[in-house]
Amino acid sequence: MTLPTAINKQHRLLCVHTDDIEPVDVSAALPGLKVWPLFLDSEQGYWILRVQFQPGTRLPMHFHTGTVHFYQLSGVWNYVEYPDDVLKANSYLYEPGGSIHTFMVPDDATEPADGFMVVQGSNVNFTEEGEFVNVMDAGWIEEVIIECCKAQGRPVPRYIKPKAKAGFSDVD
């Protein structure tokens, strides 16, 4: 068997070193969060982030349209609905599509919860009363990051973004 011909030639390693860049403070849209965008693909519905959640952070109740893989680097957090299931440092969490829960970092946490997530699809966010708030997906996250960087007078950090756009293969 011969080596296949590369359709997409890669000229460099596509890598984001989160220790070398400052996270984006997205508290204007999501209080208590700092984000390192790693890979945002609004067309395929994938968002990969490193996120730091400050003590006391509570996100809206949300419904997952797709799966989530989450690796906790440091700190602790849990879902309001499962108070005894605490995610701690060096833990992996899988969330199936169709799950509903409310993320929170305890007020008395001694450090931020820092984790890495791979999300397919979107989070449909609701109030505690079940009223629709918004849809959080790769496109929304990208817009928030860009707007927060503009408001903070800082450049948008480098992240991986597929260049392909929907269209026909026979058009240049």
Side-chain angles (χ1 to χ4, degrees):
M1 181 168 191
T2 61
L3 183 66
T5 304
I7 294 173
N8 294 315
K9 293 186 181 189
Q10 186 173 334
H11 301 288
R12 65 179 300 176
L13 183 65
L14 297 174
C15 182
V16 178
H17 298 282
T18 61
D19 285 343
D20 295 342
I21 57 174
E22 287 294 317
V24 178
D25 183 344
V26 295
S27 294
L30 295 164
L33 273 66
K34 292 182 180 180
V35 174
W36 290 263
L38 304 174
F39 181 93
L40 297 172
D41 184 349
S42 58
E43 192 167 304
Q44 296 295 317
Y46 281 97
W47 35 298
I48 302 173
L49 310 168
R50 178 178 170 195
V51 182
Q52 191 176 78
F53 305 89
Q54 299 303 311
T57 296
R58 183 178 174 133
L59 299 179
M61 178 182 5
H62 55 277
F63 169 83
H64 286 282
T65 65
T67 59
V68 177
H69 299 270
F70 193 103
Y71 186 79
Q72 186 70 14
L73 300 167
S74 63
V76 297
W77 63 268
N78 64 280
Y79 289 124
V80 171
E81 297 80 5
Y82 314 105
D84 297 330
D85 294 334
V86 177
L87 201 68
K88 58 184 181 176
N90 300 312
S91 297
Y92 165 75
L93 170 71
Y94 171 75
E95 299 176 4
S99 60
I100 300 173
H101 38 243
T102 309
F103 176 99
M104 67 167 285
V105 178
D107 291 330
D108 62 352
T110 59
E111 65 181 325
D114 191 353
F116 170 82
M117 65 180 72
V118 177
V119 181
Q120 185 270 321
S122 60
N123 289 2
V124 182
N125 294 323
F126 297 91
T127 65
E128 289 181 26
E129 295 76 33
E131 297 294 321
F132 173 78
V133 174
N134 69 349
V135 174
M136 183 168 58
D137 61 10
W140 184 86
I141 290 167
E142 187 171 33
E143 286 180 23
V144 165
I145 288 168
I146 291 167
E147 290 304 312
C148 286
C149 285
K150 282 181 188 175
Q152 296 163 23
R154 62 164 288 181
V156 175
R158 173 183 276 183
Y159 57 92
I160 299 164
K161 180 178 175 73
K163 291 184 178 180
K165 300 287 183 192
F168 294 105
S169 61
D170 59 353
V171 177
D172 291 334

